[in-house]
Amino acid sequence: MIVFEPYFDVYPAAIELAQGVLVPLRLEAPEFRVDEAKLRSLVTERTKLILVNTPHNPTGHLVTVPELGIIAQVAIEHDLTVITDEVYEHLAFDGREHTPIASLPGMFERTLTISSSGKTFSTTGWKIGWFSGPEHLVEAVGTVKQFLTFANGHPFQYGIAAGLQLPDSEFHAIRDRLWRQRDVLVPALEHAGFEVLAADAGYFVSVDVAPLGYDNSYDFCRELPAKAGVAAIPMIPFYTDASGAETLVRFAFCKRVEVLEEAATRLERAFR
Ligand SMILES: Cc1ncc(COP(=O)(O)O)c(C=O)c1O
């Protein structure tokens, strides 16, 4: 199974449970784009799946339509199934639009799309999500889910069902709020001397801490709370082999503006 790397840290465990083999497709900083030659070089006769995640956690990259087109072409040529995790689908900034890969020609019948209410409605603990796609894939997931969690948070489902019927303007307002939050944190990181890599969509901004003199993100993230009263996480655990990405760090901006402004002040004080 080909998986974007860095990856959401739940994926390796889930793939292992399913007795799959995770084959990382490295998205290289600073742009974290899907590279066609690299993707093609990973496909073998044992490849069954490509796991797409856009908007992407942990990098904050929104996979573009040309990148999705490359993935679609490779999937169709090699008769692969695509699983796509689009839980940040409503949260793209700067006029960018999220495109579901299932909407590309020839892709619906080979794509299982997964999404969730957690990020859009800030209800991450509720664990209400959904999957959609052609009948054979939906039925396969339903069969497994029946014996894993069976049902969860049923009363929350009514709340989320009501939320999903809100007009588009509400979804835009949610996006715009998060966009403003990003626009507090990102300039502060830049002023403090970090190299900001991506924050196109979702909850996260990835940065390189090498310009601040660090050669390892663990050291930086361990020191940060005492040094600045701010916390971030190293991206090393999101890689199978993090060589070349040892200095990447993920900050989250899914916080109140006042909290982010305070973080901005502290970061600038600590690093300028
Ligand atoms: C890429 C990605 N997929 C799925 C999830 C799970 O979302 P939830 O449990 O809120 O539905 C997360 C949460 O961090 C995520 O970042």
Side-chain angles (χ1 to χ4, degrees):
M1 176 168 190
I2 297 175
V3 180
F4 295 170
E5 183 195 55
Y7 37 68
F8 177 40
D9 55 0
V10 165
Y11 297 158
I15 293 167
E16 200 151 321
L17 268 178
Q19 300 188 326
V21 176
L22 188 159
V23 177
L25 169 63
R26 176 75 81 99
L27 307 181
E28 292 290 354
E31 294 201 310
F32 300 111
R33 286 185 181 275
V34 173
D35 181 88
E36 178 167 5
K38 205 176 286 176
L39 171 59
R40 288 189 179 281
S41 75
L42 297 176
V43 178
T44 70
E45 72 281 358
R46 297 187 61 209
T47 308
K48 292 199 164 52
L49 291 158
I50 302 176
L51 176 56
V52 171
N53 169 215
T54 182
H56 184 242
N57 175 13
T59 64
H61 173 56
L62 180 79
V63 182
T64 60
V65 173
E67 290 170 273
L68 293 173
I70 291 168
I71 297 167
Q73 205 179 335
V74 170
I76 291 167
E77 272 173 32
H78 294 273
D79 193 22
L80 307 176
T81 297
V82 169
I83 299 179
T84 176
D85 175 343
E86 303 183 0
V87 301
Y88 301 94
E89 62 184 314
H90 294 293
L91 308 174
F93 314 129
D94 311 309
R96 293 182 179 88
E97 289 281 343
H98 163 75
T99 302
I101 192 167
S103 67
L104 269 57
M107 287 307 290
F108 176 79
E109 44 286 344
R110 61 177 66 252
T111 303
L112 183 79
T113 303
I114 300 173
S115 194
S116 164
S117 59
K119 312 304 175 189
T120 303
F121 298 127
S122 301
T123 51
T124 52
W126 291 23
K127 294 284 166 197
I128 304 300
W130 49 88
F131 48 94
S132 58
E135 196 177 343
H136 69 285
L137 295 179
V138 166
E139 196 179 303
V141 178
T143 306
V144 173
K145 179 153 172 55
Q146 170 81 7
F147 297 109
L148 282 179
T149 52
F150 182 64
N152 57 321
H154 181 65
F156 294 138
Q157 291 180 328
Y158 286 93
I160 297 303
L164 290 174
Q165 289 173 57
L166 290 170
D168 286 355
S169 56
E170 293 293 333
F171 287 82
H172 295 159
I174 292 167
R175 173 202 62 199
D176 291 350
R177 194 170 57 232
L178 204 66
W179 183 350
R180 282 195 296 278
Q181 291 167 208
R182 182 205 66 172
D183 285 350
V184 174
L185 186 60
V186 165
L189 290 165
E190 284 168 346
H191 291 154
F194 295 87
E195 186 191 354
V196 174
L197 302 171
D200 310 339
Y203 277 9
F204 307 114
V205 48
S206 47
V207 303
D208 195 336
V209 295
L212 295 171
Y214 289 86
D215 57 16
N216 187 293
S217 56
Y218 279 121
D219 295 341
F220 170 81
C221 292
R222 285 196 187 104
E223 282 179 27
L224 187 62
K227 193 173 164 109
V230 173
I233 62 168
M235 280 172 39
I236 291 174
F238 300 136
Y239 288 81
T240 302
D241 172 3
S243 336
E246 297 94 339
T247 53
L248 303 188
V249 166
R250 188 190 79 178
F251 283 86
F253 47 83
C254 45
K255 297 280 166 195
R256 282 178 293 120
V257 164
E258 308 83 81
V259 173
L260 294 166
E261 283 171 347
E262 177 59 28
T265 307
R266 292 182 187 189
L267 286 167
E268 290 183 34
R269 200 187 300 136
F271 292 100
R272 286 295 288 175

